[in-house]
Amino acid sequence: MSHYSGPLLTRPIAEALLAARDASAGEWTGSLDLGRSNGSAVMQADAWQWRGQRYPYPPRLKDRTIYVWDRDEFAPVSRYAGSLIKLVPTEWGAPTFEIDGIKMLPTSKESPFEDARRKVALIEPRGKVVLDTCGGLGYFAACCLEAGVASIHSFEKNADVLWLRTLNPWSPDPDAAASGGRLQLTHADVSQTIAQIADASVDALLHDPPRFGIAGELYSQTFYDQLARVLRRGGRLFHYTGSPNKLTSGRDVPREVEKRLEKAGFKAQLALDGVLATRR
């Protein structure tokens, strides 16, 4: 699917456009791509124009919602197919997403993109072949590309998450010139497809699974054994678990992960909000 290139509206941006119209301003300057860039819109009485296309002024928009132009109206970036999935704006520009109201990326203290950049730095991706097990919105992949990765293979199981990526300007496009052919994105369940990856063929790993209660198979000894198999000796793995001090359902998940990774053949330690491990 090609990436969306039209305007992205949030309630504050829509209100700013309406305020510019009401003030009879001929032009409004700001970001219509969630902070990726700034540009100008030409203001008219009954419509506004951006990048050569006219758009109607939006009605009152909801908070915590991002809207895209859907041929004849601004529609929220959300879908329901058994679960409600939604792209959610943040104060940092780069959005997060929610599944049934559960926020999937940390945003309370910094941009989810900056959070990804700090974690990616732990595996030192420059010049390496990286496996990204649970691609999500692609922030790990984007930071790897930015850091000079040789190639990165991302897997994402959820088709609706892949759809969100096509609407999010912060998500890397595998087909874009900026990716340089270095990003491969596969719609698949990595817990099943990892068996097809060759032994010791990966230089570094990023593992950002959903929480344990949703995707327990991605925390299993069997899966960690597979991670150890595909990673070369000396290769690094960062495994997101959530806050190291937080007990989940009475279990200390970060410590459990650390022990299982050790059993699989890693030297592991708690780091940031996850576990950093090196293949022995």
Side-chain angles (χ1 to χ4, degrees):
M1 293 184 288
S2 60
H3 265 51
Y4 171 77
S5 59
L8 291 153
L9 298 186
T10 59
R11 182 174 176 177
I13 294 298
E15 289 175 347
L17 288 169
L18 291 169
R21 178 199 63 183
D22 294 344
S24 299
E27 186 177 83
W28 174 85
T29 299
S31 180
L32 290 163
D33 59 2
L34 304 180
R36 292 293 283 174
S37 66
N38 280 326
S40 297
V42 176
M43 312 304 292
Q44 299 169 346
D46 60 344
W48 55 282
Q49 185 171 315
W50 185 67
R51 293 181 178 175
Q53 184 169 341
R54 283 168 52 89
Y55 301 95
Y57 288 100
R60 183 178 177 85
L61 303 183
K62 295 179 180 179
D63 283 328
R64 300 185 65 257
T65 305
I66 296 170
Y67 293 79
V68 295
W69 180 247
D70 187 15
R71 293 188 176 87
D72 56 4
E73 65 177 352
F74 284 100
V77 183
S78 63
R79 273 184 177 177
Y80 183 81
S83 298
L84 178 64
I85 190 164
K86 176 182 179 181
L87 200 62
V88 179
T90 71
E91 62 181 295
W92 316 102
T96 183
F97 71 108
E98 293 179 353
I99 298 178
D100 287 339
I102 299 171
K103 187 173 65 175
M104 305 304 290
L105 298 172
T107 60
S108 61
K109 296 180 180 179
E110 64 180 343
S111 160
F113 200 90
E114 288 300 322
D115 176 77
R117 185 178 280 133
R118 288 192 301 116
K119 293 168 181 174
V120 164
L122 293 175
I123 67 160
E124 300 177 351
R126 178 173 294 278
K128 294 180 179 177
V129 175
V130 175
L131 172 62
D132 177 24
T133 61
C134 305
L137 292 183
Y139 294 166
F140 276 174
C143 292
C144 283
L145 292 170
E146 174 187 89
V149 73
S151 66
I152 178 166
H153 191 175
S154 293
F155 290 87
E156 176 51 52
K157 178 180 178 180
N158 191 320
D160 290 331
V161 173
L162 294 174
W163 172 71
L164 291 183
R165 288 177 69 132
T166 68
L167 302 174
N168 179 14
W170 291 85
S171 296
D173 180 355
D175 297 326
S179 296
R182 294 176 295 155
L183 171 58
Q184 181 181 354
L185 177 60
T186 300
H187 178 203
D189 182 347
V190 72
S191 70
Q192 299 175 12
T193 56
I194 194 169
Q196 301 168 19
I197 299 176
D199 294 1
S201 61
V202 173
D203 297 319
L205 275 162
L206 291 163
H207 186 42
D208 185 8
R211 69 179 191 268
F212 181 83
I214 295 176
E217 70 278 6
L218 295 176
Y219 296 78
S220 69
Q221 190 65 57
T222 298
F223 186 68
Y224 293 160
D225 290 345
Q226 288 283 359
L227 292 181
R229 180 185 63 79
V230 303
L231 185 62
R232 66 167 177 80
R233 292 187 182 277
R236 291 185 179 184
L237 156 70
F238 178 75
H239 184 320
Y240 172 76
T241 61
S243 174
N245 298 316
K246 184 178 181 181
L247 297 179
T248 303
S249 302
R251 304 171 64 173
D252 190 342
V253 172
R255 288 295 182 187
E256 289 186 19
V257 166
E258 182 183 28
K259 290 178 181 177
R260 289 192 192 117
L261 288 175
E262 290 274 358
K263 185 177 179 181
F266 292 90
K267 181 180 179 181
Q269 63 186 45
L270 301 185
L272 299 178
D273 49 4
V275 178
L276 178 64
T278 303
R279 179 73 166 92
R280 292 197 298 262

